[in-house]
Amino acid sequence: MPNYTFQLNGETVTVDAPADLPLLWALRDKLGVTGPKYGCGIDVCKACTSHLDGEAINPCVTPTADVAGREVTTIEGLAGTWSDDPDELHPVQEAWLERDVAQCGYCQPGQIMAAVALLRRTPNPTDADIDAIENVCRCGSYSRIREAIKAAAAAM
């Protein structure tokens, strides 16, 4: 099998995997990174949302070969990206905690990563911008998600 080297949460990693192995499985099964969750495997629920070179992607449908030489960030690597302190939570993570967004928590890593990507593109999102996030929350905490994204936008 071929090896693919990329940056994962600020560290260089190499994974031995088939080219078409979904990145989600390389992350979870080969590298032990469990923040991105498996929900559907077909780019619908978006529980696995992570970043590739700063843009939101869904590792369940991204071949491992596509990330070679690039930068992947999962929820585990988000803290410290906002400041010089590697332990400082991102403002979106802080807002999630302050607004008590999570219920079951399963989709929250993907929700947070989608929100961070949105705020990078749109620093002051409208309700329509937030509604365009397609991540599914089975617990239905969408109103708290909206509040948290707006609070994070204000803090940023």
Side-chain angles (χ1 to χ4, degrees), residues 39-121:
C40 67
I42 57 172
D43 194 22
V44 173
C45 76
K46 306 196 185 304
C48 63
T49 302
S50 299
H51 294 172
L52 180 60
D53 299 332
E55 298 290 326
I57 61 150
N58 295 103
C60 70
V61 295
T62 302
T64 298
D66 288 0
V67 304
R70 299 175 76 185
E71 182 178 346
V72 175
T73 306
T74 67
I75 192 71
E76 289 89 347
L78 188 58
T81 62
W82 177 252
S83 72
D84 293 333
D85 179 353
D87 297 322
E88 185 176 340
L89 293 179
H90 189 281
V92 172
Q93 292 171 303
E94 288 285 351
W96 243 250
L97 292 171
E98 290 168 2
R99 297 298 188 284
D100 198 25
V101 172
Q103 285 187 29
C104 82
Y106 194 81
C107 70
Q108 296 311 305
Q111 296 279 2
I112 289 169
M113 296 304 283
V116 169
L118 169 64
L119 293 175
R120 282 187 183 142
R121 293 187 316 271

